[in-house]
Each structure stands twice: as structure tokens, then as C-alpha cells.
């Protein structure tokens, strides 16, 4: 149990860790390439450690120097391991690694923690099966542990991803690197482009065309080249400190060098619409966001504005401090994250003292007008790092909280409580 005390004022500068998505891809693409790649700014989160350990099991080597990670992919390519591949809490690891091991001859077993074993893998099992690998798990939603029979003879496919997901798109593209023929993924909503952008830097031919609100991505198979990666900082982590700065009554917080890409920075538009004093200043390594105490107004947020909906829990905390009723629309995907974030976001707002309700995939939060009106509360984070951080922000801005299971913050942001403490 961790106690978060309220604090009279907050000020300072935070640099959040390296982007989790880019960190996973840097590790995986480096392990696939022949020769040495270097990675600067790798996320220290345990999710990325899981990806890295699995790549070592499959034959890559890793050395750590002062702030730089060196990964060397074997010249003959990765090969199956006879031990299970432990994915821990990480959906990104299990889905992306499924794509990679689908291309490696042999049997692969992928395991995860209690949170991961309830997450659906049918969304990768189906397309990877069409390419020629065999992915099986528990029940109709193919939950982990997964057994995968990989093949050197995959076929490229043209596939329409039903529920927009960067992880699913990436699993297919990673498998497509070693398939015969082109692989095309159509997505109805533009999800983050980390995989495509980083594959291009590794010399892969990936073409993207925007189609309405979505896009089509076509990949020509080839082995990625070694690269010197520089991982930008994580916008989804920056969102916690932005909301803290806005809803705390006496705060002035800068979050420096935040990655600025359209699929990741939607939370800034949402908060600005709520009346936030949130100013961005472009710099060489990203945008610096300055968040100062602001009275917030309720808004309507559609999932399309924050693709992957990672920021919904912390925006729920912002809505709880706002005046009026905020609507969170089309948020069904929240149910399938590290925990059921649809129910969890509503439960957190309820603990803060808000009236909340849902209709289908929409939920509504009647804000209290300020964080000063938040109730003190106790919460179990349920193996979900984003509820640890969202709760801590609400507790620090309001009247404190007790968080059970706060250690799970290490899956993405081991230094979160130190960075929070530095602002007091
Ligand atoms: C991620 C994709 C996201 C997101 C996760 C990281 C990725 O999910 O929730 O934190 O690195 O590809 P979707 O697959 O739903 O887009």
C-alpha cells in the first residue's frame, strides 16, 4: 500500500521516460537486424525489459553502457527458444513477439501475468494464421498462454484490422518482414505510426496512404538494418503531469521534450478545449508542455481523438475536476487493456465523489468543479500502471489517497513517484 499525500503547491520540470512503444520496437528491430544497433533513451519499464529478455532468449545479445543499450542481432537471424517466453504484463510484447516468432521455424510458448492472461489475442491469431503460422490460446478469444507454430514460409496478406490497434498492425507488419510477397494492413482509424516510422529508419520499404480517417500500410519484405536509435519521451506519460499541473490549485509544471506526433498528442487538444492553460513550445527533441492551474470545463471526448485510448483514465481525472458533465464516447477498447479501464475509470471518478454512468460504450462523468472537492480515497490498481498514476495525480491534487498494488507502475514508469516527489 502506498500513501500519496496532498500537497499545498507543485512546481518544477519533469522529463518522462522514453516512449514505451518506440522502446519495444527499438529492441525488436535491433534484434532482427544483423550486427550492432545502439539505443539511447530506452524506457526503463519492465514491459520493455520483457521484450528485451525475450530477444536475448531468441539469440540477440544486449550490453548496457552509460545510458546506451547495444543490441546485436545474430547474423543468421533469431531462432526458437525451448523455454517459454515471459511477456509479464505487456500486451505490446506478446502481440509484437507473436508476429516475430511466427516467422521462426519451431514451437514457441508465450506466457504472461494475471492481467495479460485475460487479454484477447484472437486479433493477432487470425491474421498471423492467414499468413501461415498457427497461434492457439485459451477459449474463443485466444487468451494467453499462447502456443505458436512458426514457419519460414509465411505468405504476405492484405488485411483489414477490425478494432483499430497499433499492436495488431505491428504484429502483422513484423511477420510481413519475412513473408513472401507484400503485406498490406488497412486500419479504419489512424493508430500510432511507431512501427512504420522505425521500420523506414531500418531501411524497410513501407508505404502509407491516408484513407478517410484511416490508412493503408504496405510493406515489402526485407531484413531490417542495424540502426542508432534515439527514443523520444513518452507523450502518454507526459499526460499525467499535464493533468496534475492543471487540476492542482497551485501548480506550474513543465514536461520537457515530449514526442509530438498526431496520434499521441490528442490529449493536449482535449485539455485545451476544456480551458486548460497548457502551452507547448517546440524544441529540437520534441515539445515542452507547460501546465498551470486552470479551472476546467467539461467536454465530449471521442476515442478517435486519442487513438489506443491510453489517456482515458487520466482524462477521467481531469473531467472529475471540471465543471459540468463530460462524455467519453466509443470507449469499448478500454475494457481490453491491462485492466478493464472502462469500469476502472468510472470507479475512480466515483471514488473521487463524482456521479458517473454509462450507456453502451460511452461513459459520463459529472465533474466536481475542482480537485479541492475530491474525496480522499483508497484504490486497488489491479495490475494496471495507468491507474496507479491516475490515482496518484488525483490524490496529490486533491486530498490524498492510498494505492494498493502501486508497484505495478514499474511496468512503464519505475521513477514515477520520484518524479512526482520532485515537484513538491
Ligand atoms: C501500443 C498500442 C496501444 C497502447 C499500448 C501501446 C503499442 O494499444 O494501448 O500502450 O505500442 O503498439 P492498441 O494496440 O490498442 O493501439
Amino acid at each position: 500500500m502506498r500513501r500519496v499525500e496532498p500537497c499545498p503547491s507543485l512546481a518544477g520540470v519533469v522529463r518522462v521516460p522514453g516512449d514505451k512503444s518506440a522502446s519495444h520496437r527499438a529492441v525488436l528491430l535491433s534484434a532482427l537486424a544483423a550486427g550492432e544497433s545502439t539505443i539511447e533513451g530506452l524506457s526503463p519499464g519492465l514491459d520493455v525489459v520483457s521484450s528485451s529478455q525475450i530477444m536475448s532468449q531468441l539469440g540477440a545479445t544486449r550490453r548496457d553502457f552509460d545510458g546506451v543499450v547495444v543490441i546485436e542481432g545474430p547474423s543468421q537471424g533469431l531462432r526458437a527458444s525451448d523455454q517459454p517466453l515471459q511477456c509479464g504484463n505487456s500486451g505490446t510484447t506478446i502481440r509484437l513477439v507473436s508476429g516475430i516468432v511466427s516467422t521462426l521455424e519451431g514451437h514457441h510458448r508465450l506466457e504472461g501475468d494475471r492481467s495479460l492472461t485475460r487479454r484477447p489475442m484472437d486479433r493477432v491469431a487470425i491474421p498471423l494464421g492467414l499468413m501461415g503460422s498457427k497461434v492457439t490460446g485459451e477459449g474463443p478469444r485466444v487468451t494467453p498462454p499462447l502456443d505458436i507454430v512458426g514457419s519460414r514460409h509465411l505468405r504476405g496478406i492484405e488485411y483489414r484490422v477490425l478494432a483499430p490497434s497499433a499492436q495488431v498492425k505491428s504484429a502483422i507488419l513484423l511477420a510481413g518482414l519475412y513473408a513472401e510477397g507484400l503485406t498490406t494492413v488497412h486500419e479504419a482509424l489512424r493508430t500510432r505510426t511507431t512501427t512504420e516510422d522505425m521500420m523506414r529508419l531500418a531501411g524497410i520499404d513501407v508505404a502509407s496512404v491516408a484513407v478517410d480517417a484511416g490508412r493503408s500500410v504496405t510493406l515489402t519484405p526485407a531484413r531490417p538494418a542495424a540502426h542508432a536509435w534515439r527514443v523520444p519521451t513518452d507523450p502518454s506519460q507526459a499526460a499525467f503531469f499535464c493533468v496534475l499541473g492543471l487540476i492542482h490549485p497551485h501548480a506550474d509544471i513543465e514536461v520537457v521534450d515530449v514526442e509530438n506526433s498526431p496520434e499521441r498528442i490528442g490529449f493536449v487538444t482535449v485539455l485545451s478545449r476544456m480551458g486548460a492553460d497548457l502551452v507547448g513550445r517546440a524544441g529540437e527533441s520534441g515539445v515542452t508542455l507547460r501546465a498551470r492551474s486552470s479551472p476546467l470545463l467539461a467536454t465530449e471526448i471521442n476515442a478517435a481523438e486519442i487513438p489506443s485510448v491510453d489517456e482515458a483514465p487520466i482524462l477521467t481525472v481531469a473531467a472529475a475536476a471540471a465543471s459540468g458533465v463530460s462524455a467519453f464516447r466509443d470507449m469499448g477498447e478500454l475494457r481490453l487493456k491491462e485492466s478493464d479501464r472502462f469500469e476502472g475509470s468510472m470507479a475512480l471518478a466515483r471514488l473521487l465523489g463524482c456521479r458517473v454512468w454509462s450507456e453502451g460504450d460511452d461513459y459520463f462523468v459529472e465533474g466536481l468543479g475542482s480537485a479541492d472537492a475530491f474525496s480522499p480515497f483508497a484504490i486497488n490498481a489491479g495490475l494496471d500502471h495507468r491507474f496507479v498514476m491516475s490515482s496518484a495525480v488525483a490524490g496529490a491534487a486533491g486530498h490524498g489517497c492510498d494505492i494498493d498494488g502501486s508497484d505495478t507502475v514499474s511496468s512503464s514508469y519505475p521513477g514515477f513517484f520520484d518524479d512526482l516527489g520532485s515537484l513538491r
Side-chain angles (χ1 to χ4, degrees):
M1 181 76 81
R2 179 188 280 270
R3 171 87 196 140
V4 177
E5 297 289 352
C7 44
S9 69
L10 288 166
V13 178
V14 181
R15 174 187 296 274
V16 297
D19 179 32
K20 186 157 73 77
S21 293
S23 294
H24 284 289
R25 275 99 174 150
V27 166
L28 302 181
L29 291 171
S30 299
L32 289 171
E36 274 188 5
S37 294
T38 54
I39 310 174
E40 271 180 67
L42 189 71
S43 161
L46 295 183
D47 283 6
V48 174
V49 171
S50 295
S51 286
S52 173
Q53 282 173 347
I54 290 173
M55 290 304 107
S56 300
Q57 250 179 288
L58 299 177
T61 54
R62 169 175 171 163
R63 285 169 293 146
D64 285 58
F65 297 98
D66 206 18
V68 182
V69 174
V70 180
I71 293 187
E72 186 170 353
S75 52
Q76 72 281 19
L78 300 174
R79 41 150 180 73
S81 164
D82 51 12
Q83 296 300 312
L85 308 174
Q86 301 293 348
C87 303
N89 188 251
S90 176
T92 310
T93 302
I94 199 165
R95 295 202 173 109
L96 271 54
V97 168
S98 293
I100 289 177
V101 296
S102 284
T103 72
L104 306 180
E105 209 70 48
H107 172 249
H108 317 274
R109 187 168 174 87
L110 279 63
E111 298 179 348
D113 71 4
R114 221 166 6 93
S115 152
L116 197 65
T117 49
R118 56 167 279 286
R119 301 183 66 185
M121 297 300 144
D122 51 346
R123 43 183 65 192
V124 288
I126 294 168
L128 294 174
L130 292 170
M131 296 176 87
S133 118
K134 186 158 183 266
V135 182
T136 47
E138 302 282 322
R141 302 282 339 241
V142 193
T143 52
L146 297 182
D147 287 293
I148 301 184
V149 182
S151 162
R152 260 183 226 292
H153 304 288
L154 296 189
R155 299 172 292 278
I157 51 169
E158 179 168 354
Y159 191 76
R160 190 166 299 281
V161 177
L162 290 179
S165 159
Q167 291 174 351
V168 174
K169 169 176 66 179
S170 304
I172 300 168
L173 293 176
L174 284 164
L177 287 174
Y178 296 91
E180 199 182 308
L182 303 180
T183 289
T184 297
V185 179
H186 303 289
E187 54 183 8
L189 177 69
R190 289 195 277 279
T191 66
R192 66 191 66 183
T193 55
T194 326
T195 295
E196 301 93 295
D197 297 344
M198 292 179 71
M199 280 183 172
R200 279 186 202 109
L201 289 173
I204 305 295
D205 180 1
V206 191
S208 273
V209 208
V211 183
D212 302 324
R215 67 160 79 79
S216 297
V217 182
T218 297
L219 169 133
T220 306
R223 186 174 190 183
H227 188 72
W229 300 106
R230 290 189 65 160
V231 176
T233 62
D234 195 320
S236 308
Q237 309 289 28
F240 294 104
F241 290 104
C242 290
V243 170
L244 178 61
L246 298 173
I247 67 171
H248 189 285
H250 305 287
D252 185 350
I253 299 175
E254 275 198 349
V255 194
V256 295
D257 294 343
V258 181
E259 177 190 347
N260 183 8
S261 68
E263 297 84 4
R264 302 298 301 280
I265 210 85
F267 73 90
V268 173
T269 312
V270 172
L271 290 168
S272 301
R273 198 165 68 223
M274 295 174 82
D277 182 356
L278 180 60
V279 181
R281 201 175 62 242
E284 245 176 54
S285 333
V287 58
T288 289
L289 295 168
R290 182 175 184 186
R292 282 178 285 192
S293 312
S294 315
L296 297 180
L297 298 171
T299 190
E300 178 163 329
I301 304 166
N302 193 285
E305 280 188 276
I306 47 167
S308 300
V309 290
D310 286 344
E311 296 77 21
I314 191 59
L315 289 174
T316 301
V317 173
S323 306
V325 174
S326 289
F328 289 77
R329 300 224 181 255
D330 205 14
M331 295 284 164
E333 276 292 303
L334 281 178
R335 298 192 175 94
L336 305 174
K337 298 288 180 177
E338 283 84 329
S339 67
D340 179 343
R341 290 185 183 156
F342 190 96
E343 288 302 325
S345 296
M346 291 205 297
L348 175 55
R350 219 177 268 123
L351 285 170
L352 295 173
C354 299
R355 204 164 70 83
V356 294
W357 64 98
S358 63
E359 288 163 19
D361 285 342
D362 301 341
Y363 67 93
F364 304 86
V365 177
E366 185 170 347
L368 300 169
S370 98
D372 194 39
F374 286 178
S375 305
F377 65 101
I379 190 167
N380 183 328
L383 288 182
D384 192 332
H385 56 130
R386 294 202 200 276
F387 280 119
V388 178
M389 294 184 274
S390 300
S391 303
V393 165
H399 296 286
C401 66
D402 292 299
I403 308 173
D404 207 4
S406 66
D407 289 353
T408 207
V409 77
S410 296
S411 68
S412 69
Y413 196 164
F416 173 78
F417 284 102
D418 292 337
D419 287 350
L420 179 61
S422 76
L423 299 170
R424 288 177 185 271

